[in-house]
Amino acid sequence: QFMGGGVRATVQTKDDALALDDVAFAYLPIKRRTRTLLVTQGNNFLETLLKLDNYVELTVTNPANYRESPNVDAYIFDRFAPATAPARPALIIGAPSAPWLKPSTGEVQKPEITTWSENHPVMQFVSVHDLAIDHASRIDPGNLTVIAASKQTPLIVASEKPKWVMLTFDLQSSDFPFHVGFPVFIENVLAWFSREQLALKRSPG
């Protein structure tokens, strides 16, 4: 089974008039396991999903025992955030309070998603138009990429530097974990965080 790396394709034809276009090169990224630390008081949705993902090497801890580690590729903070941003990318769920995150300025009841960015990498093959949310935190989206939003507040936001994605609602207050797009969303987030991007390509000629 081919796991990734360089790919060379050639074509041979009779009476070839131009040999330059007979060879093409590409590079298939090597998909390695993402060392992921889930920090939660307990979340069966996330734990089960991540344990079943062959490309995730999962460790679980609770907020009281959280320590930043150089052996982690990505963090998932469930209704918790440390006082300082970790050196590695993070998915934050539930808009917890932390100095490096946007503060909540209130709560929005039953927000409806009115806009979402289908072009952002974390939203590939993910539909959220019928997502039901009981409540979400209201935050200022300044300097953030708004990936999905209601009229009252952003619901999924991203930061490039440092790199993180945040849901302003927690999974217990929505039906997101029951959507077919939820596992795809988590996989997209981890891929955007730390997996290898396309590195080499040469077209015919």
Side-chain angles (χ1 to χ4, degrees):
Q1 184 181 3
F2 181 64
M3 298 301 294
V7 180
R8 179 176 182 267
T10 62
V11 61
Q12 293 180 338
T13 61
K14 187 179 180 181
D15 302 323
D16 190 351
L18 183 63
L20 268 178
D21 64 355
D22 292 354
V23 181
F25 296 96
Y27 183 86
L28 182 65
I30 299 170
K31 198 172 182 182
R32 65 179 181 83
R33 300 183 79 189
T34 302
R35 298 170 299 178
T36 304
L37 177 61
L38 171 61
V39 186
T40 179
Q41 292 283 13
N43 191 318
N44 289 332
F45 298 128
L46 277 175
E47 288 191 45
T48 301
L49 173 63
L50 294 166
K51 285 175 181 176
L52 292 173
D53 192 329
N54 290 330
Y55 292 103
V56 169
E57 182 181 315
L58 181 66
T59 304
V60 182
T61 191
N62 59 47
N65 292 321
Y66 165 76
R67 299 291 184 276
E68 189 169 356
S69 169
N71 300 317
V72 169
D73 298 314
Y75 295 90
I76 299 179
F77 297 123
D78 176 36
R79 294 162 293 170
F80 159 81
T84 57
R88 297 291 187 177
L91 169 62
I92 305 111
I93 298 170
S97 176
W100 54 283
L101 297 174
K102 294 284 186 174
S104 172
T105 58
E107 197 171 81
V108 176
Q109 299 297 321
K110 300 191 181 304
E112 294 184 7
I113 293 184
T114 54
T115 59
W116 64 92
S117 174
E118 295 178 342
N119 296 325
H120 196 282
V122 306
M123 295 300 287
Q124 288 185 3
F125 311 111
V126 178
S127 175
V128 292
H129 73 277
D130 58 348
L131 183 63
I133 301 170
D134 185 66
H135 59 272
S137 294
R138 190 191 306 271
I139 66 166
D140 175 7
N143 300 322
L144 298 176
T145 299
V146 177
I147 297 173
S150 70
K151 291 180 179 179
Q152 300 91 351
T153 186
L155 296 167
I156 305 175
V157 294
S159 166
E160 289 283 347
K161 292 182 180 179
K163 184 171 274 191
W164 50 262
V165 172
M166 184 171 72
L167 309 183
T168 61
F169 56 94
D170 61 59
L171 299 182
Q172 284 76 4
S173 67
S174 79
D175 63 356
F176 197 15
F178 303 104
H179 283 231
V180 294
F182 180 65
V184 182
F185 173 78
I186 297 296
E187 178 67 14
N188 286 348
V189 169
L190 294 177
W192 186 60
F193 281 170
S194 63
R195 292 190 186 143
E196 192 171 6
Q197 303 298 310
L198 188 64
L200 172 67
K201 181 179 180 182
R202 199 199 86 179
S203 301

